Amino acid sequence: MKIKNNFLSHQSTRKLFFKILVTLVGISAGLFAFSQEEIGVAAAVNTTTTDNYYDSSGMFAERRLVEEGYKIIQDRTIETDEKGKAQMILIDGTAFTIGPNSRVVLDKFVYNPETNDGFLEMQATGLLRLVGGKVTKKNAATINTSVATVGIRGGIVIVDSDNESTSAAFVYGQEMEVIPLQNQGGRTVLTEDGFVVEVNDPYEDIDTPELLTAEALAGYTADFEGSEEEEEESEEESEEEESEEE
């Protein structure tokens, strides 16, 4: 299904994300010589972000603090706290940013640098922005949430999800596909960017995609940054506690 965009000029949206792409290309150029299990690196980390490992039975086994330059390993869980934010770059140039109170599990990543073939699959809860690299130009990256599967090929997607709903914003790219988890026949495929797809029930068909407005995009950007007021209040409380102890 091709949806024509007759309402929104994408110039401001694209300018913003082209700037992001230029930055990411510069960072990804420094990715060399990873061991077989290392698939990328943390390019930027703000406050608390952790790399958690769960064994085959699902039991928690290990937690490591993620800092800039931290090597990313497949099948690990990256989590942020209420102020956390992290940007990861995979070895094919794919980049993803994790917002506050979010979680991403890197299920599968395969990349052949000689042919640029491969695939990427992850689970996400919370706020995630993915900018596709070489792998996604040939095969769509798959993002699994609690109620839907989102596929993005050759572009940029913002996924905001919780236990009951998923919102997928098709910012830029060749194609985005969204499938309700329990309704494969309810799939929606967009070949025109600038729309948001909402899934509020994994069994129901998807409603008509809504326009991705400049205001909505600005809202996503603000959500990635978190609440500055909360940070200021937290800092003030810490200072007050230190004064009382003295």
Side-chain angles (χ1 to χ4, degrees):
M1 177 181 69
K2 182 173 182 180
I3 297 181
K4 295 182 179 179
N5 182 355
N6 297 319
F7 307 95
L8 177 66
S9 170
H10 300 151
Q11 290 184 356
S12 59
T13 299
R14 287 179 174 174
K15 284 181 181 178
L16 172 63
F17 278 93
F18 282 151
K19 289 180 181 179
I20 294 173
L21 282 170
V22 170
T23 302
L24 297 178
V25 168
I27 294 172
S28 62
L31 297 175
F32 299 104
F34 284 82
S35 69
Q36 187 174 3
E37 64 178 2
E38 293 171 354
I39 61 174
V41 64
V45 179
N46 177 26
T47 69
T48 306
T49 299
T50 58
D51 175 5
N52 302 322
Y53 174 68
Y54 298 83
D55 63 25
S56 57
S57 67
M59 295 294 291
F60 174 78
E62 181 184 13
R63 175 179 286 115
R64 297 177 183 176
L65 186 65
V66 175
E67 298 177 333
E68 186 173 339
Y70 184 89
K71 298 297 188 296
I72 304 169
I73 299 175
Q74 184 168 279
D75 203 29
R76 303 293 287 251
T77 301
I78 307 297
E79 293 188 52
T80 59
D81 63 8
E82 66 277 3
K83 300 176 188 174
K85 177 184 176 184
Q87 184 183 83
M88 309 292 179
I89 310 291
L90 302 184
I91 57 177
D92 75 316
T94 294
F96 59 94
T97 303
I98 308 170
N101 283 325
S102 300
R103 177 183 183 186
V104 170
V105 183
L106 301 167
D107 289 322
K108 298 175 184 177
F109 178 72
V110 175
Y111 172 54
N112 183 336
E114 295 182 358
T115 62
N116 291 331
D117 285 324
F119 59 86
L120 170 63
E121 184 174 348
M122 61 176 67
Q123 301 173 45
T125 303
L127 191 59
L128 169 73
R129 177 174 59 219
L130 187 142
V131 181
K134 294 176 181 177
V135 164
T136 69
K137 293 184 185 302
K138 290 189 173 184
N139 299 301
T142 301
I143 303 167
N144 296 309
T145 73
S146 58
V147 299
T149 296
V150 179
I152 179 71
R153 185 161 60 88
I156 303 171
V157 66
I158 299 174
V159 178
D160 191 4
S161 62
D162 55 30
N163 293 330
E164 298 179 351
S165 64
T166 292
S167 170
F170 188 18
V171 180
Y172 175 78
Q174 300 174 35
E175 182 179 283
M176 182 179 80
E177 178 184 59
V178 182
I179 306 174
L181 202 59
Q182 303 297 332
N183 181 9
Q184 296 296 308
R187 66 195 292 267
T188 292
V189 178
L190 301 182
T191 55
E192 193 89 25
D193 55 36
F195 288 90
V196 181
V197 175
E198 297 274 355
V199 179
N200 297 307
D201 190 322
Y203 295 92
E204 298 293 331
D205 290 343
I206 297 173
D207 292 334
T208 302
E210 298 180 357
L211 208 59
L212 175 60
T213 63
E215 291 77 11
L217 191 57
Y220 284 124
T221 301
D223 289 342
F224 273 111
E225 295 303 324
S227 172
E228 294 182 2
E229 292 182 0
E230 288 181 3
E231 291 184 14
E232 292 175 358
E233 289 176 1
S234 178
E235 289 176 0
E236 291 176 358
E237 290 175 359
S238 297
E239 290 175 359
E240 290 177 0
E241 290 176 358
E242 289 177 1
S243 299
E244 291 175 359
E245 290 177 358
E246 293 175 357

